[in-house]
């Protein structure tokens, strides 16, 4: 009896992971030709140029993480006391190791927030448990972290375009 496919079985996950490897996904030049009317050589040389210039960083699948059971996207704003550099480095290392975290950035603007992390979780409860387990136990956490605000993004999502599509629209303007 054949196994029934699931979106999270080992075969599907390995295929998705392979799509993230360099040169696994390439643009369909024929499809681009249909959209633009340009010659294949023009398209290929343009893609090569954009890659050399660092504009195109690769071609990857767009995965709906909610379909894989991760229904919560979290943005955490940290107010850090940067006078505790060793504790900051330990916290940053913990954030970098966390598979839920996909973005860590310095931020500036109104208020005292200076670090942003973005991550995905199954739900609010699992997020809080992971936060307690991974970060609250970091040596020096309470000295370096003065405040944290978590923002939870849930359904419905009213607009979900890629950053690439947004920048193309802006450049066209």
């Amino acid at each position: 009896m054949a196994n029934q496919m699931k979106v999270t079985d080992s075969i599907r996950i390995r295929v998705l992971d392979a799509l993230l490897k360099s040169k696994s996904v390439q643009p369909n030049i024929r499809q681009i030709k249909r959209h633009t009317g340009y010659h294949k050589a023009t398209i290929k040389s343009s893609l090569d140029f954009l890659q050399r210039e660092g504009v195109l960083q690769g071609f990857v699948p767009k995965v709906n993480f909610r379909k894989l059971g991760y229904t919560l996207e979290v943005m955490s704003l940290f107010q850090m006391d940067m006078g505790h550099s060793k504790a900051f480095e330990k916290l940053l290392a913990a954030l970098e190791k966390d598979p839920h975290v996909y973005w860590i950035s310095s931020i500036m603007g109104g208020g005292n927030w200076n670090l942003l992390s973005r991550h995905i979780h199954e739900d609010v409860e699992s997020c809080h448990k992971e936060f307690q387990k991974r970060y609250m136990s970091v040596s020096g956490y309470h000295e370096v972290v003065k405040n944290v605000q978590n923002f939870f993004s849930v359904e419905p999502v009213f607009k979900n375009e890629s950053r690439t599509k947004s920048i193309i629209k802006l450049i066209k303007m």
Side-chain angles (χ1 to χ4, degrees):
M1 178 189 266
N3 288 339
Q4 196 169 21
M5 282 193 268
K6 295 180 184 170
V7 295
T8 58
D9 67 30
S10 63
I11 293 172
R12 265 37 73 188
I13 297 303
R14 287 188 71 191
V15 168
L16 283 173
D17 191 38
L19 288 172
L20 297 175
K21 306 293 184 219
S22 179
K23 307 256 184 200
S24 289
V25 178
Q26 293 294 320
N28 185 328
I29 293 179
R30 285 188 191 125
Q31 189 70 22
I32 296 170
K33 181 179 181 350
R34 277 186 231 135
H35 290 293
T36 64
Y38 297 138
H39 190 274
K40 291 177 189 176
T42 302
I43 295 167
K44 178 76 172 109
S45 66
S46 295
L47 290 170
D48 291 344
F49 171 75
L50 291 169
Q51 283 182 306
R52 276 193 316 274
E53 292 297 313
V55 173
L56 286 176
Q57 296 176 326
F59 305 94
V60 297
K62 184 173 181 178
V63 174
N64 182 344
F65 61 89
R66 286 179 169 90
K67 289 283 188 181
L68 297 170
Y70 292 86
T71 61
L72 186 70
E73 185 170 13
V74 183
M75 289 182 287
S76 299
L77 295 174
F78 292 85
Q79 179 184 6
M80 310 293 284
D81 180 347
M82 300 308 288
H84 298 278
S85 60
K86 295 257 193 258
F88 174 74
E89 289 171 16
K90 289 178 186 176
L91 178 63
L92 193 55
L95 283 163
E96 288 173 347
K97 289 179 190 171
D98 187 348
H100 297 93
V101 175
Y102 65 91
W103 179 277
I104 307 167
S105 177
S106 294
I107 58 172
M108 51 188 231
N112 297 315
W113 308 106
N114 49 6
L115 188 70
L116 167 71
S117 70
R118 294 167 65 179
H119 31 117
I120 54 173
H121 291 275
E122 294 169 336
D123 51 42
V124 174
E125 185 177 311
S126 68
C127 176
H128 286 301
K129 283 181 184 176
E130 285 292 323
F131 199 89
Q132 292 286 330
K133 180 177 84 175
R134 290 181 184 272
Y135 308 121
M136 300 297 277
S137 61
V138 171
S139 174
Y141 174 86
H142 295 288
E143 287 77 33
V144 71
V145 177
K146 296 304 174 192
N147 196 357
V148 178
Q149 286 286 325
N150 291 312
F151 297 90
F152 304 104
S153 172
V154 296
E155 296 287 342
V157 173
F158 299 105
K159 183 176 180 178
N160 185 16
E161 288 187 348
S162 72
R163 289 183 298 181
T164 301
K165 189 170 187 171
S166 293
I167 195 69
I168 290 169
K169 284 180 182 178
L170 290 168
I171 291 169
K172 283 182 175 181
M173 291 171 47

